[in-house]
mmCIF file of all heavy atoms in Angstrom:
data_model
loop_
_atom_site.group_PDB
_atom_site.id
_atom_site.type_symbol
_atom_site.label_atom_id
_atom_site.label_comp_id
_atom_site.label_asym_id
_atom_site.label_seq_id
_atom_site.Cartn_x
_atom_site.Cartn_y
_atom_site.Cartn_z
ATOM 1 N N PHE A 258 109.387 159.470 -56.131
ATOM 2 C CA PHE A 258 110.628 160.052 -56.646
ATOM 3 C C PHE A 258 110.231 161.226 -57.531
ATOM 4 O O PHE A 258 109.287 161.105 -58.321
ATOM 5 C CB PHE A 258 111.419 159.035 -57.472
ATOM 6 C CG PHE A 258 111.871 157.846 -56.660
ATOM 7 C CD1 PHE A 258 111.077 156.703 -56.570
ATOM 8 C CD2 PHE A 258 113.085 157.880 -55.975
ATOM 9 C CE1 PHE A 258 111.490 155.606 -55.819
ATOM 10 C CE2 PHE A 258 113.500 156.781 -55.224
ATOM 11 C CZ PHE A 258 112.699 155.644 -55.141
ATOM 12 N N ALA A 259 110.939 162.362 -57.401
ATOM 13 C CA ALA A 259 110.564 163.536 -58.200
ATOM 14 C C ALA A 259 111.801 164.315 -58.630
ATOM 15 O O ALA A 259 112.869 164.221 -58.027
ATOM 16 C CB ALA A 259 109.639 164.445 -57.391
ATOM 17 N N VAL A 260 111.602 165.074 -59.716
ATOM 18 C CA VAL A 260 112.647 165.980 -60.214
ATOM 19 C C VAL A 260 112.012 167.362 -60.324
ATOM 20 O O VAL A 260 110.913 167.499 -60.883
ATOM 21 C CB VAL A 260 113.175 165.543 -61.595
ATOM 22 C CG1 VAL A 260 114.241 166.518 -62.103
ATOM 23 C CG2 VAL A 260 113.728 164.129 -61.543
ATOM 24 N N THR A 261 112.666 168.383 -59.761
ATOM 25 C CA THR A 261 112.143 169.752 -59.883
ATOM 26 C C THR A 261 113.199 170.651 -60.505
ATOM 27 O O THR A 261 114.382 170.302 -60.557
ATOM 28 C CB THR A 261 111.751 170.342 -58.505
ATOM 29 O OG1 THR A 261 112.925 170.358 -57.686
ATOM 30 C CG2 THR A 261 110.665 169.519 -57.826
ATOM 31 N N LEU A 262 112.755 171.806 -60.976
ATOM 32 C CA LEU A 262 113.665 172.802 -61.549
ATOM 33 C C LEU A 262 113.967 173.817 -60.443
ATOM 34 O O LEU A 262 113.056 174.463 -59.925
ATOM 35 C CB LEU A 262 112.988 173.482 -62.740
ATOM 36 C CG LEU A 262 113.863 174.404 -63.601
ATOM 37 C CD1 LEU A 262 115.030 173.647 -64.219
ATOM 38 C CD2 LEU A 262 113.016 175.051 -64.701
ATOM 39 N N GLU A 263 115.252 173.916 -60.071
ATOM 40 C CA GLU A 263 115.643 174.745 -58.920
ATOM 41 C C GLU A 263 116.742 175.735 -59.295
ATOM 42 O O GLU A 263 117.403 175.575 -60.324
ATOM 43 C CB GLU A 263 116.140 173.833 -57.788
ATOM 44 C CG GLU A 263 115.123 172.828 -57.289
ATOM 45 C CD GLU A 263 113.906 173.477 -56.643
ATOM 46 O OE1 GLU A 263 113.993 174.671 -56.268
ATOM 47 O OE2 GLU A 263 112.866 172.803 -56.512
ATOM 48 N N PRO A 264 116.988 176.722 -58.436
ATOM 49 C CA PRO A 264 118.118 177.637 -58.677
ATOM 50 C C PRO A 264 119.419 176.838 -58.756
ATOM 51 O O PRO A 264 119.559 175.816 -58.070
ATOM 52 C CB PRO A 264 118.122 178.555 -57.457
ATOM 53 C CG PRO A 264 116.739 178.481 -56.907
ATOM 54 C CD PRO A 264 116.229 177.102 -57.229
ATOM 55 N N ALA A 265 120.371 177.314 -59.587
ATOM 56 C CA ALA A 265 121.644 176.619 -59.775
ATOM 57 C C ALA A 265 122.272 176.315 -58.413
ATOM 58 O O ALA A 265 122.254 177.143 -57.512
ATOM 59 C CB ALA A 265 122.586 177.470 -60.615
ATOM 60 N N GLY A 266 122.806 175.092 -58.269
ATOM 61 C CA GLY A 266 123.412 174.700 -57.002
ATOM 62 C C GLY A 266 122.464 173.876 -56.143
ATOM 63 O O GLY A 266 122.886 173.163 -55.239
ATOM 64 N N GLY A 267 121.152 173.990 -56.421
ATOM 65 C CA GLY A 267 120.182 173.184 -55.701
ATOM 66 C C GLY A 267 119.726 173.828 -54.402
ATOM 67 O O GLY A 267 120.313 174.794 -53.925
ATOM 68 N N THR A 268 118.636 173.276 -53.850
ATOM 69 C CA THR A 268 118.091 173.801 -52.580
ATOM 70 C C THR A 268 117.839 172.631 -51.625
ATOM 71 O O THR A 268 117.915 171.473 -52.030
ATOM 72 C CB THR A 268 116.748 174.525 -52.825
ATOM 73 O OG1 THR A 268 115.832 173.588 -53.406
ATOM 74 C CG2 THR A 268 116.905 175.710 -53.748
ATOM 75 N N SER A 269 117.551 172.954 -50.374
ATOM 76 C CA SER A 269 117.309 171.884 -49.397
ATOM 77 C C SER A 269 115.827 171.507 -49.342
ATOM 78 O O SER A 269 115.474 170.467 -48.794
ATOM 79 C CB SER A 269 117.802 172.326 -48.017
ATOM 80 O OG SER A 269 117.179 173.537 -47.669
ATOM 81 N N ALA A 270 114.972 172.390 -49.894
ATOM 82 C CA ALA A 270 113.547 172.073 -49.997
ATOM 83 C C ALA A 270 113.076 172.554 -51.367
ATOM 84 O O ALA A 270 113.511 173.615 -51.821
ATOM 85 C CB ALA A 270 112.769 172.779 -48.897
ATOM 86 N N PRO A 271 112.234 171.766 -52.042
ATOM 87 C CA PRO A 271 111.839 172.143 -53.401
ATOM 88 C C PRO A 271 111.104 173.485 -53.472
ATOM 89 O O PRO A 271 110.255 173.772 -52.610
ATOM 90 C CB PRO A 271 110.934 170.988 -53.845
ATOM 91 C CG PRO A 271 110.540 170.266 -52.600
ATOM 92 C CD PRO A 271 111.617 170.517 -51.589
ATOM 93 N N THR A 272 111.457 174.300 -54.457
ATOM 94 C CA THR A 272 110.804 175.605 -54.662
ATOM 95 C C THR A 272 110.230 175.715 -56.074
ATOM 96 O O THR A 272 109.316 176.493 -56.301
ATOM 97 C CB THR A 272 111.803 176.755 -54.460
ATOM 98 O OG1 THR A 272 112.829 176.643 -55.461
ATOM 99 C CG2 THR A 272 112.455 176.726 -53.088
ATOM 100 N N GLY A 273 110.819 174.958 -57.016
ATOM 101 C CA GLY A 273 110.423 175.113 -58.423
ATOM 102 C C GLY A 273 109.395 174.079 -58.835
ATOM 103 O O GLY A 273 108.957 173.251 -58.023
ATOM 104 N N PRO A 274 108.972 174.122 -60.098
ATOM 105 C CA PRO A 274 107.962 173.178 -60.602
ATOM 106 C C PRO A 274 108.517 171.764 -60.688
ATOM 107 O O PRO A 274 109.698 171.557 -60.921
ATOM 108 C CB PRO A 274 107.646 173.730 -61.995
ATOM 109 C CG PRO A 274 108.876 174.470 -62.396
ATOM 110 C CD PRO A 274 109.450 175.038 -61.128
ATOM 111 N N ILE A 275 107.625 170.778 -60.491
ATOM 112 C CA ILE A 275 107.980 169.369 -60.690
ATOM 113 C C ILE A 275 108.009 169.099 -62.194
ATOM 114 O O ILE A 275 107.075 169.462 -62.910
ATOM 115 C CB ILE A 275 106.933 168.451 -60.004
ATOM 116 C CG1 ILE A 275 107.070 168.590 -58.470
ATOM 117 C CG2 ILE A 275 107.130 166.998 -60.416
ATOM 118 C CD1 ILE A 275 106.054 167.758 -57.698
ATOM 119 N N VAL A 276 109.116 168.524 -62.698
ATOM 120 C CA VAL A 276 109.210 168.209 -64.135
ATOM 121 C C VAL A 276 109.077 166.713 -64.378
ATOM 122 O O VAL A 276 108.764 166.283 -65.481
ATOM 123 C CB VAL A 276 110.534 168.737 -64.742
ATOM 124 C CG1 VAL A 276 110.590 170.256 -64.661
ATOM 125 C CG2 VAL A 276 111.746 168.125 -64.050
ATOM 126 N N LEU A 277 109.335 165.905 -63.348
ATOM 127 C CA LEU A 277 109.193 164.443 -63.456
ATOM 128 C C LEU A 277 108.801 163.923 -62.076
ATOM 129 O O LEU A 277 109.325 164.409 -61.067
ATOM 130 C CB LEU A 277 110.516 163.787 -63.844
ATOM 131 C CG LEU A 277 110.906 163.685 -65.322
ATOM 132 C CD1 LEU A 277 112.379 163.332 -65.421
ATOM 133 C CD2 LEU A 277 110.078 162.652 -66.061
ATOM 134 N N ALA A 278 107.894 162.926 -62.051
ATOM 135 C CA ALA A 278 107.552 162.344 -60.753
ATOM 136 C C ALA A 278 107.012 160.936 -60.953
ATOM 137 O O ALA A 278 106.460 160.616 -62.014
ATOM 138 C CB ALA A 278 106.514 163.209 -60.050
ATOM 139 N N SER A 279 107.201 160.080 -59.952
ATOM 140 C CA SER A 279 106.626 158.733 -59.986
ATOM 141 C C SER A 279 105.203 158.819 -59.445
ATOM 142 O O SER A 279 104.870 159.739 -58.689
ATOM 143 C CB SER A 279 107.461 157.774 -59.141
ATOM 144 O OG SER A 279 107.447 158.178 -57.790
ATOM 145 N N ALA A 280 104.391 157.811 -59.839
ATOM 146 C CA ALA A 280 103.020 157.784 -59.294
ATOM 147 C C ALA A 280 103.092 157.390 -57.830
ATOM 148 O O ALA A 280 103.984 156.647 -57.424
ATOM 149 C CB ALA A 280 102.201 156.773 -60.101
ATOM 150 N N LYS A 281 102.190 157.902 -57.071
ATOM 151 C CA LYS A 281 102.191 157.592 -55.638
ATOM 152 C C LYS A 281 101.823 156.156 -55.387
ATOM 153 O O LYS A 281 101.001 155.616 -56.090
ATOM 154 C CB LYS A 281 101.181 158.531 -54.928
ATOM 155 C CG LYS A 281 101.965 159.607 -54.224
ATOM 156 C CD LYS A 281 101.106 160.347 -53.211
ATOM 157 C CE LYS A 281 101.942 161.572 -52.802
ATOM 158 N NZ LYS A 281 101.159 162.686 -52.373
#
Side-chain angles (χ1 to χ4, degrees):
F258 297 91
V260 179
T261 60
L262 189 60
E263 300 296 342
T268 59
S269 56
T272 63
I275 291 178
V276 297
L277 275 166
S279 63
K281 257 195 191 153

